[in-house]
Amino acid sequence: MLEKSAMLPDRLRDTLGDLALDIFEAPTGVTAEVAASSWVECCRLARDELGFEQLVDLCGVDYLSYGEDEWDTDDATSETFSRGIEGDGGPGRFDWAGRPTNVSGQRFAVVAHLLSISNNERLRLRCKVPDDEVPAVASLVDTWPSANWFEREAFDMFGIIFEGHPDLRRLLTDYGFIGHPFRKDFPLIGNVEVRYDPEKGRVIYQPVSIEPRVLVPKVIRSDSRYGQQSAKGGSRG
């Protein structure tokens, strides 16, 4: 089993050949990048030739503004780390007209997580969708029937269309919902809120009334003060 796991990248190169755009290893496992045009073919090769008989998960990814931060965490301040700050116009924040556009032509991706029960191996297959406006890729339902609801979820959350899916419709959001919540351009506070209207005697929808702000996460910095405190604490021990 250990030999097979160590040789998985080589077996992938031999099996996928030119269909694999990139194959790399990370602490989280082996990933093979393939083109959207060969998405189904590569998945079937992984199933039939490499023994990945089970699709564990399938999800979408939005790479818009990938690698960019919305807050400054380099300089120390006397303010609390949970302070609300005014955003810089990042995705889903305030000034969407000035959004970052560092991703060109391949904003969305589809990722399949595979498991080989017979070989005790895991594999991640990823393909980037070529069209940002109408993201579409072939469905894997005929390869793994378990892809059915996974693809419906990715369609609902990211708006990725899976061509050939037998019943592609929303899965998690409400009827009549507009937009795709996991896209980075979707407002983090949403577009509408619901409340009970005693005059109308029913629940109604209205524009969201939450004040938009950004909560800065707590960041552990490399600061000499922390080193001195650690040294003092160690001496007391």
Side-chain angles (χ1 to χ4, degrees):
M1 295 300 180
L2 294 176
E3 292 182 359
K4 288 185 178 180
S5 296
M7 296 170 56
L8 179 56
D10 294 332
R11 288 163 38 221
L12 277 170
R13 295 184 183 94
D14 294 340
T15 302
L16 300 182
D18 295 337
L19 297 178
L21 303 178
D22 190 16
I23 296 174
F24 55 92
E25 294 184 78
T28 56
V30 179
T31 299
E33 181 95 29
V34 302
S37 58
S38 58
W39 175 239
V40 175
E41 182 180 359
C42 290
C43 288
R44 288 179 178 173
L45 287 172
R47 182 194 64 182
D48 300 336
E49 302 296 331
L50 297 173
F52 288 95
E53 58 267 65
Q54 182 174 348
L55 174 67
V56 177
D57 186 26
L58 183 144
C59 63
V61 183
D62 185 356
Y63 283 101
L64 183 66
S65 73
Y66 177 73
E68 297 184 6
D69 294 327
E70 191 173 3
W71 44 76
D72 182 10
T73 57
D74 293 331
D75 298 329
T77 68
S78 60
E79 300 177 19
T80 172
F81 284 104
S82 63
R83 65 192 183 281
I85 65 170
E86 187 172 339
D88 63 356
R93 303 297 189 179
F94 307 94
D95 181 19
W96 182 236
R99 67 191 185 279
T101 55
N102 62 323
V103 176
S104 176
Q106 292 184 323
R107 170 182 169 181
F108 299 101
V110 177
V111 180
H113 298 267
L114 310 181
L115 171 65
S116 173
I117 300 175
S118 56
N119 296 329
N120 191 25
E121 293 177 329
R122 293 182 183 270
L123 172 65
R124 182 183 299 110
L125 289 179
R126 179 178 63 185
C127 77
K128 292 187 176 180
V129 184
D131 189 350
D132 293 349
E133 297 299 324
V134 186
V137 70
S139 173
L140 297 180
V141 171
D142 291 338
T143 306
W144 291 289
S146 60
N148 192 318
W149 278 28
F150 292 142
E151 292 179 347
R152 285 182 57 187
E153 180 181 8
F155 166 71
D156 193 358
M157 298 291 103
F158 292 93
I160 300 174
I161 299 172
F162 293 88
E163 298 173 339
H165 191 284
D167 185 23
L168 192 62
R169 54 194 171 95
R170 290 185 181 271
L171 180 67
L172 301 177
T173 55
D174 198 2
Y175 296 104
F177 188 90
I178 299 175
H180 305 283
F182 281 5
R183 286 191 176 188
K184 290 184 178 179
D185 56 359
F186 189 86
L188 297 183
I189 58 175
N191 293 311
V192 297
E193 62 185 23
V194 297
R195 68 175 179 86
Y196 179 77
D197 190 322
E199 296 182 357
K200 296 181 179 180
R202 60 181 177 84
V203 173
I204 64 170
Y205 288 84
Q206 65 184 29
V208 66
S209 59
I210 301 174
E211 174 107 10
R213 67 172 186 165
V214 178
L215 295 180
V216 181
K218 183 175 182 180
V219 178
I220 304 299
R221 299 185 177 90
S222 298
D223 193 305
S224 60
R225 293 174 298 174
Y226 301 142
Q228 293 172 3
Q229 292 174 359
S230 299
K232 292 179 181 179
S235 62
R236 287 196 299 268

